[in-house]
Amino acid sequence: MSQTHDHGAHAPIQTSSQISEFEILETAVRELAIEKGLFSQEDHRRFSEWAESVGPHGGSKLVAKAWTDPEFKARLLADGTETCKEVGIDWRDPTGSGTPSDYTYFYVLENTPEVHNVIVCTLCSCYPRPVLGMSPDWYRTPNYRRRLVRWPRQVLAEFGLHISPEVEVRVHDSNQKSRFMVMPMRPAGTEGWTEEQLAAIVTRDTMIGVAVPQVDWTAQAPPDQVEAASERSGR
């Protein structure tokens, strides 16, 4: 298998400054729910703050543990929803007070030398929030949602990820009751790394499937900063 990944910008996948029809609908439904007393503005604010604080750390922990523990990996691939509880993530009660929209089936998709997986939601923006946090803006754009299912290799190339012709690209479309996350392949050069070190290179985009883990690129710092730090430390 041959995969290359450059760190250039993926300009064709752009967000828009215009408010989408989904944002208008969300605002209307939220204001109506508040007016009807289903929840308060303060409830919404607190949930929004919680959701924005989640981040992709849970997903990174899942992947790093699976890379180092074959038995855990087997359980995760067989039943992602249940196995998440082993790292403290409960899909049936992710906020501590219950979030019906996140009561769903969670599937982890393993990348192999023969298959590369990538996720999308063609209908709206379904996303595995309990493990990856809030979805990036580009994930919700019609540009990404409509084009990925038709031209996945071209779209991945716009992210700097070039998949060899002999590798099958599988696009997984999320829906109301199913969420997906990609388990990328562990890169060479990470032998002997701890779970914490491995988790640092499992970024959000690698678990969406538009990137692959790089030993010189962590979720905390871009490649140029990591390389500079490595040179200073004599690595």
Side-chain angles (χ1 to χ4, degrees), residues 60-76:
S60 300
K61 183 184 297 184
L62 288 171
V63 173
K65 187 172 180 61
W67 280 349
T68 58
D69 185 340
E71 293 183 357
F72 176 83
K73 175 181 175 180
R75 293 194 299 274
L76 184 63

Side-chain angles (χ1 to χ4, degrees), residues 28 33-34 45-46 60 70-71 92 95 103 120 123 135 145 152 157 160-161 172 175 224 227 229:
I34 292 173
R45 182 193 65 77
R46 292 176 61 187
S60 300
E71 293 183 357
R92 292 176 174 81
T95 65
Y103 176 71
V120 68
L123 179 61
S135 59
R145 289 165 26 223
L161 181 58
H172 302 264
N175 56 53
D224 54 347
E227 182 177 356

Side-chain angles (χ1 to χ4, degrees), residues 7 19 78 86 98 114 129 133 165 205 208 215 231:
H7 304 304
I19 298 176
E86 297 183 33
E114 294 78 29
R129 289 180 294 175
D205 284 8
I208 295 175
V215 295
E231 292 175 352

